[in-house]
Amino acid sequence: MILAPISNELFSRAQNSIPGGVNSPVRAFKAVGGNPRFMVSAKGAYMFDEDGNRYIDFINSWGPMILGHAAEVVQEAVQKAIPNSLSFGAPTRKEIEIAELIISMVPSIEKVRMVNSGTEATMSAIRVARGYTGRDKIIKFEGCYHGHGDSFLISAGSGAITLGVPDSPGVTKGTANDTLTAPYNNLDAVKTLVEANRGQIAAIILEPVAGNMGLVTPAEGFLQGLRNICDQEGIVLIFDEVMTGFRLAPGGAQELYGVTPDMSTLGKIIGGGMPVGAYGGKKEIMDYVAPAGPVYQAGTLSGNPIAMAAGMAMLTYLKEHPEVYNQLNSITDKLVSGMQQNMQQLGINYTINRVGSMFSIFFTNNPVTDFESAKTSDTALFGRYFNAMLQKGVYLAPSQYEALFVSTAITDSIADEYIKANLEALKEAV
């Protein structure tokens, strides 16, 4: 039995000074029950909490730690940069170098602007697309999360052409009216929206591989179909690759699937663990960004030298070591195959969606292709499973609707430990 009295005390204390006791909602464990564990250190495949418990980590800071925690190549770059000052508020050589590196790796990007988070990247990309096209409306997809910008906190109404309604208090109806939603993997719904709002849609934004309703993969022809619609209608196609960028391939999902958007947003791995985001795309679109053009976007800490050093080290390593992706695919194959055998042995209804080193378990026998089918999963069973795994020293995403991320620190022996824990936890959960 893994006990966590110090974490419990810290969570109680945190609720007096931090809303809900956490600085990002999913960390509160509300979807799975129980109290969050407060972490104190991490190395390689493991995290350690305030009570001294060790966990095999399959969140990896929600994706950035693709080389495992405290990767030496990144740590060394940060340590080397720190003595030169933590921030300048002025340009540095490293900003040019990382921009050139990103352009060399990501097919869609000809120019790029550094920001401080994935949310900032998506908010900025939408603004630029609107400025470039002179249009106001956007299309997003149910279950795709693009950060907490007002335009993205919208859910669909009834029917494909019904205007969205705010999903969160504080989002205005005017903002909701400019956000149209469609089911993921449904090209017909997109065509209906475009026809009903012809000449008014600035951008279509999506996760090319959805990671925020659990992992959902694009259906055959879906991404190319969106590319075709955008070409025909003069709409800016934006791939939110905050999760998938540099994880599924050096050039992200757009390289893996061979479909090039007009703009891309990046985060997570791009910072090597530091808070970094970026948005980029075609030169003619990005030249609308101030000071080159009229669309304003700025950030005091954008291009922060410590963050640039971490990101540069991470991306350089991934570009120079493409074998990383074969290693990740091989170990993820083993993990997923082991889980499939366990669930078949126990007669559990399940679907596992997986692309590269990202995967999700859904406790349903239905294919999961969009948000509606994702919601057929037995979330109560997932909560019991999560807590059983936590008791066995395995740290999973504390929500059914999140993807898991594998790092190169997961060895064959750690994978064996995970598969064994998975079987035992499933027996307890059902």
Side-chain angles (χ1 to χ4, degrees):
M1 182 80 172
I2 293 179
L3 300 176
I6 298 175
S7 281
N8 290 337
E9 189 276 328
L10 286 171
F11 186 51
S12 178
R13 175 181 162 191
Q15 291 176 75
N16 295 321
S17 55
I18 302 171
V22 292
N23 281 311
S24 192
V26 76
R27 298 178 191 173
F29 282 28
K30 279 198 168 185
V32 292
N35 291 339
R37 304 300 162 90
F38 281 67
M39 299 302 167
V40 69
S41 67
K43 180 65 178 176
Y46 299 105
M47 292 199 299
F48 301 86
D49 70 14
E50 288 275 358
D51 292 277
N53 300 310
R54 188 188 78 173
Y55 305 91
I56 306 172
D57 183 20
F58 284 89
I59 294 181
N60 285 291
S61 192
W62 302 98
M65 303 306 188
I66 192 169
L67 303 180
H69 287 280
E72 290 181 8
V73 65
V74 178
Q75 299 285 89
E76 289 171 3
V78 169
Q79 289 165 357
K80 184 177 179 181
I82 284 174
N84 296 324
S85 185
L86 301 183
S87 182
F88 300 114
T92 65
R93 178 189 296 266
K94 193 70 75 176
E95 293 171 69
I96 305 170
E97 293 173 345
I98 197 169
E100 291 171 343
L101 181 57
I102 291 166
I103 290 166
S104 75
M105 295 176 75
V106 184
S108 66
I109 294 182
E110 296 175 349
K111 286 192 174 183
V112 61
R113 170 62 63 86
M114 304 305 298
V115 291
N116 296 294
S117 69
T119 290
E120 196 177 336
T122 55
M123 291 166 60
S124 302
I126 288 295
R127 182 184 302 160
V128 174
R130 284 173 165 151
Y132 175 73
T133 61
R135 303 171 179 178
D136 293 336
K137 295 183 179 181
I138 65 168
I139 295 176
K140 71 173 290 287
F141 293 87
E142 297 166 10
C144 282
Y145 177 71
H146 305 290
H148 60 266
D150 285 3
S151 296
F152 307 126
L153 297 179
I154 310 295
S155 61
S158 57
I161 61 172
T162 303
L163 294 176
V165 295
D167 217 21
S168 169
V171 178
T172 67
K173 292 179 180 178
T175 299
N177 288 341
D178 285 335
T179 303
L180 309 169
T181 57
Y184 194 79
N185 277 326
N186 190 329
L187 276 179
D188 288 337
V190 176
K191 291 175 183 176
T192 300
L193 286 172
V194 170
E195 289 169 6
N197 298 272
R198 183 155 273 123
Q200 301 177 63
I201 298 171
I204 296 175
I205 185 169
L206 78 157
E207 298 173 278
V209 175
N212 285 286
M213 47 182 139
L215 187 80
V216 178
T217 60
E220 182 72 29
F222 177 60
L223 299 179
Q224 185 60 52
L226 294 176
R227 176 72 276 172
N228 295 343
I229 291 169
C230 289
D231 287 340
Q232 292 162 8
E233 301 292 334
I235 297 168
V236 176
L237 179 60
I238 305 172
F239 278 5
D240 179 350
E241 295 231 41
V242 168
M243 280 190 182
T244 56
F246 311 106
R247 173 164 283 280
L248 300 185
Q254 57 197 264
E255 177 186 330
L256 184 66
Y257 289 98
V259 178
T260 304
D262 300 303
M263 298 184 75
S264 297
T265 62
L266 303 168
K268 302 194 184 294
I269 288 173
I270 199 177
M274 296 292 289
V276 185
Y279 66 100
K282 292 180 177 178
K283 177 182 181 294
E284 60 264 33
I285 298 175
M286 292 303 295
D287 279 344
Y288 267 70
V289 180
V295 177
Y296 195 75
Q297 180 269 314
T300 298
L301 295 177
S302 295
N304 173 271
I306 311 305
M308 295 299 93
M312 190 73 188
M314 176 68 83
L315 299 190
T316 299
Y317 186 90
L318 293 175
K319 185 175 183 180
E320 294 178 352
H321 296 85
E323 69 275 9
V324 162
Y325 296 96
N326 292 330
Q327 179 186 348
L328 287 166
N329 286 337
S330 176
I331 202 69
T332 309
D333 278 340
K334 178 172 181 173
L335 293 165
V336 171
S337 294
M339 288 188 291
Q340 288 172 329
Q341 291 174 15
N342 289 344
M343 285 185 277
Q344 289 166 3
Q345 176 185 330
L346 298 174
I348 296 172
N349 290 331
Y350 76 95
T351 292
I352 297 179
N353 284 353
R354 176 260 174 123
V355 179
S357 57
M358 298 171 63
F359 68 91
S360 288
I361 307 169
F362 299 92
F363 291 110
T364 176
N365 56 4
N366 300 318
V368 176
T369 59
D370 58 17
F371 192 38
E372 285 303 310
S373 51
K375 289 190 290 188
T376 66
S377 184
D378 186 338
T379 54
L381 174 55
F382 179 86
R384 296 194 299 274
Y385 167 69
F386 168 86
N387 280 291
M389 288 292 273
L390 193 68
Q391 284 296 318
K392 298 177 192 317
V394 179
Y395 197 85
L396 305 177
S399 169
Q400 171 68 80
Y401 303 117
E402 298 283 355
L404 299 183
F405 302 93
V406 180
S407 77
T408 58
I410 302 295
T411 61
D412 276 326
S413 61
I414 294 174
D416 288 335
E417 186 179 346
Y418 171 87
I419 293 166
K420 180 182 177 183
N422 171 257
L423 178 61
E424 294 172 354
L426 288 169
K427 287 179 179 177
E428 294 175 18
V430 298

